[in-house]
Amino acid sequence: MSIAILYDGTICAGCRICEEACAKRRELPYDARIAREERLSAHKLTTIVTRNGACSRKLCMHCGDPACASACPVSALRKTALGPVVYQESRCIGCRYCMVACPYQVPAYEWDQRLPRMVKCDMCHDRLADGETTECARYCPSGATVSGDRQALIREAERRIAANPDRYFPRIYGLKDAGGGAVLMLSSVALEKLGFQAEVPQEPLPQRTWKALSSVPDLAALGSAFLGGVWWITRRRAAVAAEGESESAGGKGGGVQ
Amino acid sequence: VTRVPKFSISRWVFAALVVAGAYAAYARVAGGLGGATNLNDGFPWGIWIGFDVLCGVGLATGGFTVATMAYVFNLRPYEPVVRPAVLTAFLGYLLEILAVLFDLGRPDRFWHALVMWNPRSPMFEVGWCVALSTIVLFLQFLPPVLERFGLDRSLRLARAVLVPLVVAGAVLSALHQWTLGSLYLIAPHKTHPLWYSLQLPLLFYVSAVCAGLAMTVFESCHSRKAFGIPLEVPLLARISRLLSAGLLVYAVIRIADLWHRGAWRLIRPSRPEAALFLAEMSLLLVPAALLLGPRWRRDPRWLHASSVMVILGFVAHRLNVSITAMQPMLSLRYVPKWTEVAVTLASVALGIAAFGFLVKRLPFYRHAGDLPTAR
């Protein structure tokens, strides 16, 4: 079974209790000033975004084939079978390629630390493993955020859109974006209008780099064989030329040996 | 040794750059990346990656290319520029490693990249390419050192393995450029379509070969002034002919790719990206076209000017891919902090100084050659 989070922006009242619950779990400071920052950062792993009277939420989308995990040179990021994309800090070298790779601009960096880490939502993976819900779902008073079986939540999202076509923009965000992930979102308007990245590719991003990388062994073999071949030919040619020269130079006495 | 050394940049500028760089290095160590850079969550990579790493190793490619021409293709006229070009490449790679150590959040764990594998990551392959290329370049850099100190047996050994090393270096540098280009394939949503292309790995390779050749010409022109090395115009003309061919290959791939994707429609006079694109392309196309003419190729001043244009065009392309192409796509902005620029300039200055120091003391120019001419 794989777990997902379903966030419904049409139910969300924008109370930000999810933000506070998340900060508490990760032992991060949370106050009125941080509540007003409507963007992800090293001290804010999820945020409610309020714009034009509509609510939306930002957090790690826990992609099925995560760009960040494919990008990480030291395998510090890993997609778990249960759904969360988790980060193993002890491996991280701080190259920040995960931040370049993420199609949602989710990973944040502790820029001011001397021993900095990448920071992002871990979907409360230890709680999920114990059969519990995520903290944001647990504390959400309106039921706008719920967590549970992904297939069941997809059916639930489809049911809501079908039952109230006027209320919803007819799209489940996160279902197919970047290949689909463990966070699903519903909204009354297109999320692009609420300040989200307009074009997230629909296929998993790691395919793009893999296409180029998978030809590396062939390139290495072909390149070495080509250069080796050229060297053999040029050396042979030089040897033949030298032989010819020595024959014609020493050819006074006799040709046949 | 008693001769007063003449630097192409005056010494006090050098001293100022080194002092500024040392202060910036201190700021990086004491204040972290946040204290020394303007990097942010939207722009996790700045000029240390865009210039020091991407351009540094690209300009170093000349060492691999001319060594391959001289010893694999057996074109011995190339031989006089091989040793200085290999020295440039070796210094370029050392400075790249230095820049990476500045840029990594946890430089103390750099070795993780070689030990904790992820074969799906272009960054993992970049790490291995850097490590192996640097070893190969170090071994190729040795002959002048061994020659200077009269270590004849070691020198014979170094020459015996020279051709395999040259082949390994050429292949590794090709893979290095290929994987550096692959890095950006993961970010189609962040990179402006004039620069995002599935051909980036190939474009990075071809442009690096061109930039490496241009760097070899540039360096020869300056070595004449700085160290009194005679200028070998026929050889530089020959390199420039190859450079012109390489640039035309690059232009064909670049333009065909833009055409195929329909991205050429984005070249509108009102857009700043279009101006950057046109500047970048003309810096590469003008020398490509003019170097085709034998008359232009015989003029040392033009050889020098065209090499400068190619280097600038190459640097423009890499900075555009890594920084400016992302600017219009993101809400956040990035302008390098002065400490970032200081580290970059200081490392370039140190590279030039190390080149001058070594060239004056070891036989990089005016030597008999590393392999017998014909057997």
Side-chain angles (χ1 to χ4, degrees):
Chain A
M1 188 177 87
S2 90
I3 308 282
I5 290 175
L6 173 63
Y7 169 79
D8 188 333
T10 69
I11 301 176
C12 178
C15 69
R16 301 181 190 275
I17 287 173
C18 54
E19 294 180 2
E20 193 169 3
C22 178
K24 194 170 278 175
R25 173 184 145 83
R26 299 291 293 251
E27 295 171 353
L28 293 166
Y30 191 80
D31 55 29
R33 190 181 53 81
I34 293 172
R36 280 194 299 276
E37 297 174 2
E38 293 197 343
R39 60 180 192 87
L40 300 180
S41 66
H43 60 263
K44 196 160 185 181
L45 279 55
T46 184
T47 183
I48 296 292
V49 178
T50 52
R51 207 181 269 199
N52 309 327
C55 289
S56 55
R57 196 181 151 197
K58 279 186 179 168
L59 71 162
C60 172
M61 300 295 277
H62 297 279
C63 302
D65 187 359
C68 59
S70 88
C72 181
V74 292
S75 298
L77 286 154
R78 187 165 54 85
K79 174 78 177 173
T80 57
L82 210 52
V85 176
V86 297
Y87 171 61
Q88 198 181 338
E89 194 278 325
S90 61
R91 299 177 87 96
C92 179
I93 57 175
C95 74
R96 311 185 298 282
Y97 186 35
C98 53
M99 304 175 68
V100 173
C102 176
Y104 302 104
Q105 271 197 67
V106 164
Y109 206 63
E110 295 181 325
W111 295 107
D112 296 324
Q113 299 291 321
R114 290 172 87 177
L115 298 176
R117 296 169 301 177
M118 185 279 287
V119 187
K120 73 169 194 71
C121 157
D122 65 352
M123 216 176 149
C124 303
H125 63 97
D126 49 334
R127 288 180 51 83
L128 295 185
D130 295 339
E132 310 263 358
T133 61
T134 62
E135 291 285 73
C136 52
R138 180 183 175 195
Y139 287 100
C140 178
S142 61
T145 297
V146 290
S147 71
D149 176 52
R150 183 167 187 265
Q151 291 309 318
L153 288 179
I154 292 171
R155 283 196 298 276
E156 170 65 13
E158 285 166 347
R159 190 192 63 75
R160 287 186 200 176
I161 293 176
N164 275 309
D166 298 340
R167 185 172 174 157
Y168 289 99
F169 184 77
R171 197 179 146 188
I172 305 174
Y173 283 91
L175 184 62
K176 296 216 171 78
D177 302 87
V183 174
L184 308 166
M185 291 194 186
L186 293 174
S187 172
S188 54
V189 291
L191 282 186
E192 292 91 275
K193 290 187 180 157
L194 302 179
F196 277 67
Q197 182 88 35
E199 283 170 52
V200 176
Q202 296 298 292
E203 89 280 6
L205 290 167
Q207 288 174 0
R208 301 203 176 208
T209 38
W210 182 243
K211 248 180 235 161
L213 286 189
S214 54
S215 50
V216 160
D218 293 348
L219 286 177
L222 279 175
S224 314
F226 171 70
L227 292 179
V230 167
W231 178 63
W232 187 81
I233 290 169
T234 54
R235 212 170 65 125
R236 182 78 196 123
R237 194 185 284 163
V240 169
E243 223 165 77
E245 254 170 48
S246 66
E247 252 173 43
S248 57
K252 200 180 172 186
V256 193
Q257 286 171 334
Chain B
V1 188
T2 49
R3 207 152 46 92
V4 179
K6 280 180 278 179
F7 279 77
S8 48
I9 48 168
S10 51
R11 290 190 132 186
W12 66 267
V13 175
F14 172 73
L17 288 176
V18 170
V19 170
Y23 174 79
Y26 164 76
R28 163 70 186 89
V29 174
L33 283 165
T37 72
N38 277 341
L39 297 173
N40 54 57
D41 288 341
F43 268 96
W45 287 354
I47 57 165
W48 288 348
I49 298 290
F51 183 81
D52 297 39
V53 173
L54 291 186
C55 298
V57 287
L59 294 171
T61 306
F64 300 107
T65 313
V66 295
T68 306
M69 295 313 279
Y71 297 128
V72 177
F73 285 81
N74 208 30
L75 299 169
R76 290 308 158 81
Y78 279 91
E79 201 154 18
V81 289
V82 171
R83 279 185 176 186
V86 165
L87 174 62
T88 312
F90 181 50
L91 292 172
Y93 268 73
L94 289 184
L95 292 173
E96 184 215 5
I97 292 173
L98 185 72
V100 167
L101 291 177
F102 268 92
D103 191 76
L104 283 181
R106 293 296 302 263
D108 52 314
R109 291 180 179 165
F110 79 94
W111 52 275
H112 283 196
L114 301 176
V115 181
M116 302 179 178
W117 288 34
N118 179 12
R120 284 181 89 200
S121 167
M123 189 61 92
F124 162 76
E125 308 216 3
V126 166
W128 270 98
C129 284
V130 173
L132 295 177
S133 304
T134 310
I135 295 171
V136 166
L137 279 171
F138 172 70
L139 295 173
Q140 284 190 47
F141 151 86
L142 279 180
V145 183
L146 302 173
E147 195 177 304
R148 166 72 176 75
F149 295 103
L151 301 166
D152 289 339
R153 272 180 60 193
S154 311
L155 184 60
R156 271 199 301 280
L157 187 67
R159 284 175 174 165
V161 296
L162 189 62
V163 171
L165 281 177
V166 169
V167 170
V171 172
L172 281 169
S173 88
L175 296 184
H176 193 177
Q177 295 303 324
W178 183 272
T179 46
L180 282 175
S182 310
L183 283 178
Y184 291 91
L185 295 182
I186 201 92
H189 46 286
K190 289 181 190 169
T191 314
H192 191 278
L194 279 175
W195 288 280
Y196 184 86
S197 156
L198 290 176
Q199 304 308 322
L200 271 178
L202 185 60
L203 286 171
F204 264 47
Y205 171 60
V206 179
S207 66
V209 168
C210 296
L213 292 173
M215 191 67 188
T216 308
V217 173
F218 177 78
E219 184 182 280
S220 298
C221 294
H222 282 267
S223 293
R224 177 182 61 153
K225 279 185 220 150
F227 315 116
I229 312 292
L231 196 62
E232 305 197 36
V233 177
L235 172 56
L236 298 188
R238 191 171 183 151
I239 297 177
S240 295
R241 197 176 58 187
L242 189 66
L243 169 59
S244 165
L247 287 171
L248 291 175
V249 170
Y250 174 83
V252 168
I253 302 170
R254 185 89 166 93
I255 291 166
D257 171 64
L258 286 175
W259 190 266
H260 177 70
R261 291 186 293 115
W264 55 274
R265 288 193 206 92
L266 295 165
I267 309 169
R268 293 200 207 101
S270 57
R271 304 290 303 161
E273 304 93 68
L276 285 170
F277 170 79
L278 291 175
E280 169 197 315
M281 282 307 274
S282 25
L283 281 170
L284 295 171
L285 282 177
V286 170
L290 291 180
L291 284 175
L292 283 175
R295 209 161 50 89
W296 290 91
R297 282 204 305 268
R298 275 197 296 269
D299 180 354
R301 272 173 315 173
W302 171 246
L303 288 174
H304 177 250
S306 61
S307 73
V308 171
M309 285 171 80
V310 174
I311 291 169
L312 289 178
F314 164 83
V315 169
H317 177 246
R318 299 229 163 170
L319 287 180
N320 280 337
V321 169
S322 61
I323 295 171
T324 29
M326 303 204 170
Q327 209 74 269
M329 314 299 277
L330 297 171
S331 49
L332 289 160
R333 286 281 169 271
Y334 164 76
V335 176
K337 204 171 192 164
W338 78 265
T339 36
E340 285 176 79
V341 180
V343 167
T344 297
L345 290 180
S347 62
V348 172
L350 281 175
I352 294 172
F355 184 88
F357 180 85
L358 289 169
V359 158
K360 263 178 267 152
R361 283 159 184 81
L362 301 173
F364 283 96
Y365 288 100
R366 294 198 191 96
H367 60 93
D370 278 317
L371 287 185
T373 321
R375 273 200 274 204

